[in-house]
Amino acid sequence: MTHTHTHGTTHAGNCLAGNGLAGDDLTANGLAEGPGRGVPGPAPGPAVDVTTDGLPSWLDPVAAAARSVQPQQLSRFLPPASGAGRQSAVLVLFGEGQRGPELLLMERSGTLRSHAGQPSFPGGALDPEDGDQATTGPLRAALREAEEETGLDPRGVQIFGVLPRLYIPVSSFVVTPVLGWWRAPSPVGVVDPAETARVFTVPVADLTDPANRATAIHPSGHSGPAFLVESALVWGFTAGVIDRIVHYAGWERPWDRARQVPLDWRA
């Protein structure tokens, strides 16, 4: 099921590239169908279910971690109590390819003014039509953005967990990671070359291989986990989320945390 493409022709979307170097709040936050809060907005789209029915057994540890891990175990960067920040969502999509379990990632265009060339999960800011940001809005946003950015068919994605909102201080994004199982794979590829350079999958085996792990060091002094996979350096918010999932799912293997990868000010 590995779909690695560098060109595409359909919808346009915006990419949420994280640049906080720590893994944040990977715990279930009770996002489920329910009434909206406050002033009613536009009617939400089709119902979005969260279910583990039929999930492959290798994903059970991820689903269990999402239900049990506390935010404070994962990061000191939590969303502001004031509710400030731009509400966003990303799709953390697991599939099964020729080399076993894998994750879907995309790489931002090298011509962008911010985070050029940086790998990320598909995702972006919530739109009004996504519905209530406190319930199923992030689920719809994650699927919508993934379709717009990679061309995947959201009907083939089973959402099996929702992690709590994360915070990226430098950009003030409040991000909800949505866990998905690519139950019925569909072709994916670059939709808008001005925003995305490529769409690719990474075997989980490569993400857990100690030879592919390092600590990214930013000139500002910030540091965090990094993965050198598929000719890409995955760091920042995306690497932080992957690192915490790998750790709390029990997939982590001992790796050399003293191995450093320097970043520059453009990162």
Side-chain angles (χ1 to χ4, degrees), residues 7-16 86 89 91 93 104 106 121-130 139-155 157 186-199:
H7 300 284
T9 57
T10 50
H11 318 278
N14 58 59
C15 175
L16 177 70
R86 190 177 185 190
L91 181 63
L93 183 59
L104 178 70
M106 51 187 288
F121 298 117
L126 270 66
D127 285 347
E129 61 266 28
D130 294 323
L139 281 65
R140 293 189 180 92
L143 291 173
R144 173 182 55 75
E145 287 285 347
E147 180 179 16
E148 292 174 357
E149 292 176 335
T150 73
L152 71 78
D153 185 347
R155 294 173 298 181
V157 176
S186 55
V188 294
V190 172
V191 172
D192 183 355
E195 293 192 356
T196 306
R198 63 172 173 148
V199 176

Side-chain angles (χ1 to χ4, degrees), residues 2 7 42 58 93 133 151 160 173 183 189 197 209 217 224 230 232 241-242 248 252-253 256:
T2 301
H7 300 284
W58 59 264
L93 183 59
Q133 67 183 35
F160 68 90
F173 271 107
R183 177 176 43 79
D209 187 342
I217 306 295
E230 298 297 320
V241 172
I242 295 173
Y248 285 105
E252 186 175 34
R253 298 163 58 188
D256 183 5

Side-chain angles (χ1 to χ4, degrees), residues 202-222:
V202 180
V204 171
D206 288 351
L207 293 168
T208 59
D209 187 342
N212 297 331
R213 304 210 56 180
T215 298
I217 306 295
H218 194 273
S220 65
H222 293 294

Side-chain angles (χ1 to χ4, degrees), residues 35 71 81 97 112 126 165 187 243:
L112 293 174
L126 270 66
R165 295 180 302 164
D243 172 76

Side-chain angles (χ1 to χ4, degrees), residues 21 216-223 235 262-267:
L21 287 176
I217 306 295
H218 194 273
S220 65
H222 293 294
S223 64
W235 65 281
L263 303 171
D264 60 33
W265 283 108
R266 294 172 296 175

